[in-house]
Amino acid sequence: MMDLKIFDRMESEVRGYVRSFPVVFSQARGSVLIDESGKEYIDFFSGAGTLNYGHNNPILKEKLIDYLNTDGLVHGLDMATGAKRYFMETVERVLLKPRSWNYKLQFTGPTGTNAVEAALKLARQVKGRPNVISFTHGFHGVSGGSLAVTANAKFREAAGVALGNTTFMPYDGYLGPDVNTIAYLERMLDDPSSGMDRPAAVIVETVQGEGGVNVATRRWLKDLERLCHQYDMLLIIDDIQVGCGRTGSFFSFESAGIRPDIITLSKSLSGFGLPMSLVLMKPELDIWKPGAHSGTFRGNNLAFVTAAQALDSYWTNSAFSDEIRRKEELVRDWLENLVHSYPGVGLSVRGRGLIQGLATPADSDVANQIAHKAFEHGLVIETSGANDEVLKVLPALTISDEQLKKGLEIIERSTGEVLAAKGASAHVLKFGGKRR
Ligand SMILES: *Cc1c(COP(=O)(O)O)cnc(C)c1O
């Protein structure tokens, strides 16, 4: 049948997702993945948020093929090309002008962590201070600077060097519903004897994608922005996973009414799964010396072509946002219904837009087992959180209602099967154990 032997034999032990989904995929269309045996899977993973417009989106694919057929530049370092010009014109016309925003664009190396590295470097240069505030359960990438602001020990322990110049603070809700973590942060900043080195910046996700679908309230984000102004820190929103429409608006922080100093984008920016990253900075922060930060792959022109088309096709009016919010309701209802079907089990739902998490007891392995079962039933879905305790529902924003419901049905069925199996041996049951 499907031959996976070479992956075991040749690929480093570091490999990850191939272990969760041990088949060889051969085709992908919209929200469907197809393996070599012809089995179809609904995709509720979307390349960890890279495929917001689905696999091989036909509109984007056509643009891409047309561009290739004219021998348009594929690689351009940071030389000027027509594709790059059109991308910037489109960002200005579709994203910035309608919001009356003014940002300059830095094209970094193509992966998310490249954008985060550039953002942190810039913030430290601007403020002349090394320390940065990051949050518990935050994820910002795995290269040196980004890793230092990433919370998960699994990634940090792999560094092999000291990771410093970061102060971790509790994210919204980290200390339970009764503790205002902003007040805690404010106290630390306000007290010259708190032990915290004055930070140049704060880096934060509005919804923690890898950290367990933890959602910062709009109020919390607004207060965080206020603290940034008050204590002369730059606000960096890492919108790599939950930007590009994931939460309903193009930028995830829009509904909070904040204006970050620096924004990082990557994952779904090209719209087609092509690598591309971007740092948006307020113009007065652009103190880079020419060439001071570089990267061979800053000019993925194929990504510029599809990124511009994605903006043109989906973000020139509010129709797509409305659709995302409608689908959010559908998913939310379904998951809440599931939670109510199993009272006392310790399930809960959290999320914003089309990133929704089904949280299970932290010490139960239930989420992993549901994901595993779901895969058998034809659904690709991942877990997130410190203990992989949150089933992360991350469908393409363009998914049809039919496919969405089909995927949700598989979650419902898989959850039922996993919980029934647990119920069969009561001592394995650890429900009611520690909850986060
Ligand atoms: C995925 C991700 C990154 C890192 O992107 P890579 O392309 O994997 O380097 C950074 N920040 C957030 C919020 C992410 O989800």
Side-chain angles (χ1 to χ4, degrees):
M1 253 259 297
M2 257 174 292
D3 187 354
L4 277 151
K5 285 197 281 296
I6 197 163
F7 297 90
D8 291 335
R9 190 170 74 241
M10 288 195 75
E11 193 176 359
S12 161
E13 292 304 316
V14 80
R15 65 194 184 280
Y17 293 123
V18 63
R19 299 174 195 267
S20 311
F21 312 115
V23 297
V24 181
F25 293 105
S26 55
Q27 287 178 301
R29 226 168 265 125
S31 288
V32 175
L33 286 156
I34 306 168
D35 75 17
E36 281 184 339
S37 76
K39 181 171 174 183
E40 296 193 353
Y41 304 81
I42 304 262
D43 189 357
F44 269 19
F45 181 39
S46 304
T50 305
L51 295 156
N52 282 4
Y53 312 99
H55 293 268
N56 283 303
N57 181 299
I59 305 165
L60 307 183
K61 185 167 71 176
E62 193 188 331
K63 269 280 167 191
L64 186 60
I65 291 170
D66 287 350
Y67 183 77
L68 282 168
N69 280 336
T70 64
D71 287 332
L73 271 81
V74 171
H75 173 265
L77 287 165
D78 67 348
M79 293 185 284
T81 64
K84 186 167 174 178
R85 178 175 58 206
Y86 187 67
F87 170 73
M88 286 197 277
E89 286 168 357
T90 310
V91 167
E92 193 167 52
R93 170 170 49 83
V94 178
L95 296 179
L96 302 183
K97 282 257 169 69
R99 294 168 173 82
S100 305
W101 288 358
N102 197 3
Y103 284 100
K104 287 187 81 176
L105 309 184
Q106 179 178 3
F107 293 81
T108 67
T111 68
T113 198
N114 296 142
V116 172
E117 294 283 350
L120 293 171
K121 220 190 242 191
L122 179 67
R124 287 174 169 134
Q125 274 187 53
V126 167
K127 295 297 177 193
R129 300 191 286 267
N131 197 32
V132 167
I133 290 177
S134 183
F135 291 94
T136 50
H137 294 230
F139 180 84
H140 302 287
V142 295
S143 59
S146 310
L147 188 53
V149 292
T150 287
N152 193 317
K154 174 179 78 178
F155 298 119
R156 296 181 68 83
E157 281 164 3
V161 293
L163 300 170
N165 301 309
T166 306
T167 304
F168 282 93
M169 283 285 135
Y171 192 71
D172 192 12
Y174 184 72
L175 298 169
D178 301 329
V179 179
N180 179 354
T181 59
I182 285 289
Y184 178 76
L185 174 57
E186 184 160 17
R187 175 84 179 106
M188 294 292 284
L189 288 164
D190 192 47
D191 180 356
S193 214
S194 69
M196 188 201 287
D197 295 326
R198 265 187 83 200
V202 170
I203 183 162
V204 67
E205 301 155 89
T206 64
V207 180
Q208 295 184 320
E210 298 303 303
V213 196
N214 307 305
V215 182
T217 63
R218 297 173 176 99
R219 171 78 192 276
W220 190 87
L221 291 166
K222 192 84 190 152
D223 284 344
L224 184 62
E225 181 187 52
R226 175 180 57 79
L227 287 189
C228 284
H229 294 160
Q230 217 166 311
Y231 294 93
D232 188 36
M233 308 180 293
L234 297 177
L235 178 58
I236 305 171
I237 297 283
D238 182 351
D239 233 5
I240 288 172
Q241 184 156 159
V242 297
C244 302
R246 183 49 64 183
T247 66
S249 49
F250 185 84
F251 297 101
S252 72
F253 52 83
E254 287 181 69
S255 63
I258 59 171
R259 275 288 308 282
D261 299 295
I262 299 174
I263 303 158
T264 56
L265 291 174
S266 182
K267 292 202 165 88
S268 273
L269 180 60
S270 79
F272 202 70
L274 296 169
M276 173 184 179
S277 290
L278 202 58
V279 176
L280 288 80
M281 66 192 84
K282 285 186 176 167
E284 64 272 22
L285 302 179
D286 186 19
I287 63 162
W288 285 113
K289 299 269 190 317
H293 191 79
S294 72
T296 305
F297 288 108
R298 284 170 295 157
N300 183 354
N301 279 255
L302 303 183
F304 299 157
V305 169
T306 54
Q309 188 58 47
L311 292 176
D312 263 333
S313 298
Y314 294 99
W315 297 105
T316 54
N317 60 48
S318 66
F320 193 50
S321 279
D322 296 342
E323 268 295 287
I324 297 165
R325 297 211 171 90
R326 189 182 60 75
K327 288 173 191 166
E328 168 185 9
E329 290 290 303
L330 201 154
V331 173
R332 195 76 196 200
D333 265 20
W334 204 292
L335 294 178
E336 273 164 10
N337 190 48
L338 187 60
V339 168
H340 295 153
S341 307
Y342 297 98
V345 167
L347 302 178
S348 60
V349 188
R350 58 199 189 214
R352 179 174 285 152
L354 276 181
I355 176 167
Q356 296 288 334
L358 179 69
T360 67
D363 51 0
S364 69
D365 199 43
V366 163
N368 275 329
Q369 291 173 26
I370 297 171
H372 189 77
K373 269 270 177 262
F375 185 63
E376 287 174 16
H377 296 317
L379 179 73
V380 170
I381 189 164
E382 254 298 337
T383 54
S384 87
N387 302 296
D388 289 336
E389 76 282 18
V390 182
L391 191 73
K392 187 162 82 169
V393 179
L394 205 75
L397 308 178
T398 51
I399 193 168
S400 70
D401 284 13
E402 192 194 339
Q403 289 166 327
L404 191 56
K405 285 176 191 162
K406 197 168 159 195
L408 290 166
E409 266 162 23
I410 294 176
I411 292 178
E412 192 171 86
R413 178 175 163 202
S414 307
T415 305
E417 287 169 1
V418 168
L419 294 179
K422 291 262 166 200
S425 55
H427 71 279
V428 181
L429 211 65
K430 294 190 92 181
F431 301 136
K434 73 169 194 278
R435 290 286 321 282
R436 291 185 322 115

